[in-house]
Amino acid sequence: MSRLIPLEDAADERLADYVQLREVNLRRLLEEEHGLFIAEGAKVIRRAAEAGYEPRSFLLAPRWLDTLQDVLDKWPSVPVYVVSEELAEKATGFHVHRGALASYKRRASVGLEALLEGLGDRARVAIFDDIVDHTNVGAGFRAAAAMGVDAVLVSPTCADPLYRRSVKVSMGTVFQVPWTRLISWPGDLARLQKRGFVAAGFALSEDSISLDELVARQDDKLALIFGTEGHGLKPHVLAQADLTVRIPMSGGVDSLNVASSAAVAFYATRP
């Protein structure tokens, strides 16, 4: 049986993992120092458990105890802090409208070469470059999972895929898509190209080809690169890519949100 610990004080030091979840910089430092991430919502908590992540603790309103009992029973020694939804809001700094949180241990990062070794002769990887909005990162991962993308690579300056907001928006699919953070960017593109990947950067450019033209090439290995929300891919990244690709637009619209663009590209290039 799980270890149930009722708490009534938002300042209780046992809630340290859950303090001020909306403070991005504070959370980044805390989560990196302690090697943790936060899962929000019963479905995301369950998906993290199913993916094999080990919990540090659970923070649950009473109404979730029965729903998540099978998850809690897997780790009988892990504390389950039972709190009111009002106390959860006071501790975390926002309204935890689903009343369920868990702190999980991060895993050691998989290196790029090890990740690429696990891919087949036909493969698609997505590269998210300098996408700083956690919502867009999470939505990008969800699209990648839905459209069968084999792996996601994030640049050194990209937002953390395991930040609470990214995980929540991804609906936990960040746990099922292999991913790693690149060390050298765009230098690591050469490592993919050496393995036969065609690097396709998505940008509005005079020398770009259409997404339909990219699909017609039927390349066995594709690395689809998407840039930051405001300015897109930087010139030195596009210079190292093999192709520049645009998604044709109508209605006077020049571009889509980066996560929407990624979803369209993932669907069009699916096997």
Side-chain angles (χ1 to χ4, degrees), residues 212-252:
D212 291 336
E213 291 176 281
L214 175 66
V215 172
R217 288 169 52 96
Q218 296 186 322
D219 295 297
D220 288 336
K221 293 185 175 182
L222 278 175
L224 307 172
I225 313 167
F226 304 91
T228 187
E229 298 86 350
H231 302 290
L233 292 173
K234 297 179 176 65
H236 68 284
V237 175
L238 291 173
Q240 192 159 331
D242 299 298
L243 302 168
T244 303
V245 182
R246 69 183 184 280
I247 299 173
M249 304 283 169
S250 61

Side-chain angles (χ1 to χ4, degrees), residues 25-252:
N25 291 331
L26 173 66
R27 294 302 308 182
R28 180 177 58 81
L29 293 174
L30 186 150
E31 293 181 14
E32 288 177 356
E33 179 182 354
H34 296 285
L36 65 91
F37 69 87
I38 299 296
E40 179 184 355
K43 182 177 291 186
V44 175
I45 289 172
R46 186 176 299 280
R47 285 185 171 173
E50 290 172 348
Y53 284 91
E54 182 181 352
R56 289 163 56 95
S57 66
F58 298 93
L59 179 67
L60 303 176
R63 64 190 177 101
W64 290 110
L65 294 175
D66 289 341
T67 301
L68 289 170
Q69 191 60 57
D70 60 317
V71 176
L72 306 182
D73 286 344
K74 293 180 180 180
W75 293 280
S77 64
V78 173
V80 181
Y81 302 127
V82 183
V83 301
S84 68
E85 296 189 25
E86 292 76 17
L87 188 144
E89 180 174 351
K90 188 174 181 180
T92 62
F94 75 106
H95 178 53
V96 187
H97 63 89
R98 288 191 172 93
L101 296 166
S103 174
Y104 279 94
K105 297 178 183 179
R106 292 184 181 233
R107 294 173 178 162
S109 178
V110 176
L112 176 59
E113 292 299 329
L115 187 150
L116 295 177
E117 281 288 346
L119 304 183
D121 294 333
R122 291 182 59 84
R124 291 178 304 156
V125 301
I127 302 177
F128 297 148
D129 176 23
D130 198 28
I131 299 176
V132 297
D133 183 274
H134 292 94
T135 297
N136 282 333
V137 171
F141 266 87
R142 189 173 182 179
M147 303 303 165
V149 171
D150 297 287
V152 174
L153 312 177
V154 298
S155 72
T157 55
C158 186
D160 180 12
L162 289 182
Y163 178 68
R164 176 189 59 84
R165 182 65 181 168
S166 299
V167 172
K168 180 181 178 182
V169 172
S170 82
M171 292 300 294
T173 56
V174 67
F175 306 135
Q176 69 190 62
V177 182
W179 69 275
T180 193
R181 188 175 292 278
L182 300 172
I183 303 300
S184 173
W185 181 253
D188 282 332
L189 260 185
R191 298 166 69 181
L192 278 83
Q193 290 162 322
K194 192 173 182 179
R195 286 179 172 269
F197 281 88
V198 174
F202 281 73
L204 300 174
S205 175
E206 292 182 0
D207 62 349
S208 62
I209 65 172
S210 71
L211 178 57
D212 291 336
E213 291 176 281
L214 175 66
V215 172
R217 288 169 52 96
Q218 296 186 322
D219 295 297
D220 288 336
K221 293 185 175 182
L222 278 175
L224 307 172
I225 313 167
F226 304 91
T228 187
E229 298 86 350
H231 302 290
L233 292 173
K234 297 179 176 65
H236 68 284
V237 175
L238 291 173
Q240 192 159 331
D242 299 298
L243 302 168
T244 303
V245 182
R246 69 183 184 280
I247 299 173
M249 304 283 169
S250 61

